[in-house]
Amino acid sequence: MNKFKDKIVLVTGAASGIGRALCEELGRAGATLVMADIHREGLARLASGLAEGGGRAHAAHLDVSNAEEVQALVDRVISEHGRLDYMFNNAGIAIAGELRDLSLDHWRRIIDVNLWGVIYGTSAAYSAMVEQGFGHIVNTASLAGLVGSPTMIPYATTKSAVVGLSTSLRAEAEEFGVKVSVVCPGFIQTGIFDAAIYVHSRQKDILDRIPFRLMDVTRAARLILRGVERNKAIIVFPFYGRLLWWFQRMHNSLTMPLARKTLRDFRASRARSKARGNS
């Protein structure tokens, strides 16, 4: 990954999961990292580990749902380093539950982080990159943004929007020397399941019904960076993800049996949760 050596890279959602793995891989590749997250302790541990390995990394506390904070951080990176080569809009949260059980507050929270957070980061980085005449924006969506995800409708909705934002901007940005990619991974071993909001469900119930093996997060980060190096528009993995996406595009009825099974299993656990009186 020599392409990232000495590049100025800003990663949001850096303290855990895919963001953390990306920072570790980019650090090994010789990039200068600005690692942003709302979780200070996780950031501090990551920065310490990278520093011990000789990496060049700076930690920045950031709430991606705050437009002013995002703009200020991008401005600071440009001021201190003279440019921004890569912007990874990676921060995200998940909410699991059927639509009939979700409140508008659930919707507002996930849209603020997963969609507005990406819009703020993309807008701030894009303006700077157009002015400098180069750069690459990488937005983390999900396989759910391509094929849907019953029992996680707000999550899938935000990720679908991120796909649309990224693929549309890619066309606009090309003339200005700016590249745009969107990442749509399948099930990865990340902390998103630990931090998710569960409505009439439990983490164990959600994890138990995932029909595929969780991919190691370091391998996922390497696949993402390989796709970025190749300037792929949509980075989809693993193989089952590309297969489901193909089914969805060719004939979406082919994905319905899996969706129905997911829903049957979830509703069984939902009934148990309601019987226990859990919210």
Side-chain angles (χ1 to χ4, degrees):
M1 293 188 291
N2 291 336
K3 189 171 184 179
F4 300 105
K5 183 174 175 57
D6 298 324
K7 299 299 183 182
I8 308 302
V9 183
L10 173 54
V11 181
T12 71
S16 62
I18 289 176
R20 182 184 184 92
L22 284 170
C23 288
E24 291 170 344
E25 291 300 310
L26 288 163
R28 281 191 279 269
T32 296
L33 287 164
V34 179
M35 308 174 304
D37 204 294
I38 200 168
H39 300 292
R40 298 179 190 272
E41 292 183 3
L43 267 184
R45 289 193 297 269
L46 176 60
S48 176
L50 289 175
E52 290 176 4
R56 293 167 293 176
H58 312 275
H61 180 262
L62 177 69
D63 178 358
V64 297
S65 69
N66 185 309
E68 289 75 20
E69 285 190 24
V70 175
Q71 184 66 59
L73 179 57
V74 170
D75 290 345
R76 194 172 86 208
V77 172
I78 300 293
S79 175
E80 293 178 358
H81 299 280
R83 69 183 196 277
L84 175 60
D85 296 302
Y86 292 91
M87 176 71 177
F88 285 81
N89 291 303
N90 174 75
I93 62 172
I95 295 175
E98 284 198 60
L99 183 61
R100 55 179 163 163
D101 296 323
L102 302 180
S103 69
L104 290 180
D105 285 338
H106 288 126
W107 278 95
R108 292 185 184 102
R109 175 58 181 154
I110 199 167
I111 288 172
D112 279 347
V113 176
N114 289 14
L115 182 53
W116 277 116
V118 174
I119 291 172
Y120 297 150
T122 297
S123 179
Y126 185 59
S127 295
M129 290 175 177
V130 167
E131 185 172 345
Q132 67 190 18
F134 60 88
H136 198 150
I137 297 170
V138 184
N139 293 329
T140 300
S142 168
L143 181 61
L146 297 174
V147 303
S149 182
T151 74
M152 297 187 72
I153 289 176
Y155 179 81
T157 299
T158 59
K159 296 306 185 178
S160 296
V162 170
V163 173
L165 163 66
S166 305
T167 55
S168 301
L169 181 59
R170 183 178 173 92
E172 288 190 18
E174 184 177 28
E175 186 175 343
F176 302 113
V178 180
K179 302 170 184 175
V180 183
S181 299
V182 62
V183 181
C184 297
F187 297 102
I188 313 298
Q189 289 178 333
T190 72
I192 195 168
F193 295 110
D194 297 328
I197 297 169
Y198 297 93
V199 182
H200 292 319
S201 61
R202 299 180 304 173
Q203 179 180 349
K204 182 179 184 302
D205 295 328
I206 299 298
L207 291 175
D208 285 349
R209 66 182 173 83
I210 292 175
F212 305 103
R213 183 177 179 182
L214 300 185
M215 175 181 278
D216 174 73
V217 71
T218 298
R219 185 181 172 210
R222 290 171 181 167
L223 289 172
I224 291 168
L225 294 177
R226 186 184 305 167
V228 172
E229 283 185 304
R230 297 173 179 175
N231 189 27
K232 294 185 67 174
I234 305 177
I235 302 168
V236 185
F237 62 91
F239 172 75
Y240 68 77
R242 295 191 295 275
L243 184 62
L244 288 173
W245 184 33
W246 183 85
F247 284 158
Q248 184 74 11
R249 286 176 290 162
M250 295 300 103
H251 204 310
N252 60 17
S253 65
L254 294 173
T255 62
M256 284 303 294
L258 179 59
R260 292 188 186 105
K261 182 181 186 307
T262 297
L263 198 51
R264 283 196 304 271
D265 292 346
F266 180 86
R267 285 177 172 165
S269 64
R270 176 184 182 273
R272 292 192 296 269
S273 177
K274 287 180 72 66
R276 291 191 299 266
N278 295 341
S279 61

